[in-house]
Amino acid sequence: MTTASTPDIKSTRAATSEGVVVGAGLTKHFGTTKALDEVSISVRPGEVVALMGPSGSGKSTLLHVLAGIIPPDAGSVHVRGRRIDDMSERRRSSARLRELGFVFQFGDLVPELSLAENVALPLLLTGSSRRAAMAQATELLAELEIAGVASRRPAEVSGGQAQRAAVARALVHQPAAIFADEPTGALDSVNGDIVLTALLDAARGRGIGLLLVTHDARVAAHADRECILRDGKLAG
Ligand SMILES: Nc1ncnc2c1ncn2[C@@H]1O[C@H](COP(=O)(O)OP(=O)(O)OP(=O)(O)O)[C@@H](O)[C@H]1O
């Protein structure tokens, strides 16, 4: 727990060298609401951290700040040792594209593209050739046991298959970390388990840090560590 108004410099440095994503002393206001209150959090390579807390406690805000989507009012965010919170919007989104992967509750795949094309997107956007990107995407879909539906569009597959494709898209470019916001929240328990297992195995096996926002204690039980937010403060 932070007791001083600024984060301890020594522990911040240590965490920066170990963590793939390190947030230190993060504070964020929306008007008079203090959504984050000096939160320090670090995710190591291959580590799965569950982020829990009641509705409105600041989970999404923390995820957005760590991912460089919104800048904090105070504090810093390092990804693979590089500070991203003070970058220009353009450099931040480029860092986000290369270094981070995202899985949301409702897949958020591009509806006009096939699953394979969706998975290839992060590679195409960072300069891979179409041929190389599609080959890598197809290989990953096979690993996640959905090669048979690779050429279908998201609306033509089951929710579980679409969510596995979203997992593949989040990790195809070997990011430093994946942020998953209720990734199994819209699935039944059988499909939820399949998607969760795929996500955890991929993160641990590839040394990708995983920050998993969830309300579900059974999901959080699979994490290496649980962090609990209450009123914008980290409680555990
Ligand atoms: N864009 C915004 N404008 C104003 N207030 C906001 C904004 N985003 C979040 N808040 C407020 O900040 C606080 C934290 O919200 P946040 O969405 O981070 O919580 P959460 O823990 O993710 O909630 P949930 O579990 O319901 O998704 C809440 O009081 C919320 O109303």
Side-chain angles (χ1 to χ4, degrees):
M1 206 161 122
T2 311
T3 48
S5 58
T6 48
D8 177 80
I9 299 217
K10 250 199 211 149
S11 63
T12 304
R13 278 210 193 114
T16 306
S17 62
E18 286 171 20
V20 279
V21 174
V22 180
L26 295 171
T27 297
K28 181 73 190 175
H29 293 86
F30 294 108
T32 54
T33 304
K34 204 175 205 178
L36 292 179
D37 189 359
E38 290 193 16
V39 173
S40 294
I41 186 169
S42 161
V43 185
R44 287 191 278 274
E47 185 184 32
V48 178
V49 177
L51 182 60
M52 303 189 74
S55 182
S57 57
K59 303 181 295 297
S60 300
T61 305
L62 178 57
L63 194 143
H64 290 153
V65 168
L66 289 173
I69 295 167
I70 53 172
D73 298 334
S76 63
V77 178
H78 286 79
V79 175
R80 264 190 193 137
R82 207 155 57 111
R83 188 165 180 181
I84 64 160
D85 60 283
D86 59 357
M87 288 177 175
S88 67
E89 174 58 44
R90 199 176 58 81
R91 289 191 61 219
R92 246 188 306 142
S93 45
S94 159
R96 195 158 58 230
L97 194 58
R98 285 170 197 283
E99 302 283 13
L100 303 176
F102 297 88
V103 185
F104 300 104
Q105 186 168 0
F106 299 103
D108 288 316
L109 299 171
V110 180
E112 295 81 10
L113 301 181
S114 70
L115 296 196
E117 287 167 334
N118 265 285
V119 175
L121 261 189
L123 298 172
L124 293 170
L125 292 172
T126 50
S128 290
S129 69
R130 183 175 167 84
R131 196 167 157 181
M134 289 302 282
Q136 228 173 307
T138 307
E139 196 178 307
L140 199 46
L141 288 171
E143 213 177 294
L144 294 174
E145 298 178 0
I146 46 170
V149 292
S151 59
R152 293 200 204 159
R153 292 179 184 181
E156 298 163 348
V157 301
S158 72
Q161 290 168 331
Q163 205 59 341
R164 267 184 277 171
V167 168
R169 185 184 58 179
L171 60 91
V172 70
H173 54 309
Q174 189 65 29
I178 293 178
F179 295 107
D181 198 350
E182 298 281 0
T184 59
L187 300 175
D188 61 64
S189 63
V190 172
N191 278 301
D193 283 351
I194 292 172
V195 168
L196 184 64
T197 303
L199 187 55
L200 297 177
D201 288 354
R204 289 182 170 133
R206 289 169 164 81
I208 298 170
L210 174 61
L211 187 68
L212 184 62
V213 174
T214 182
H215 283 106
D216 188 340
R218 286 169 311 159
V219 170
H222 292 275
D224 301 311
R225 201 151 54 85
E226 288 178 23
C227 292
I228 299 165
L229 269 176
R230 282 186 211 290
D231 298 327
K233 281 182 185 288
L234 220 42

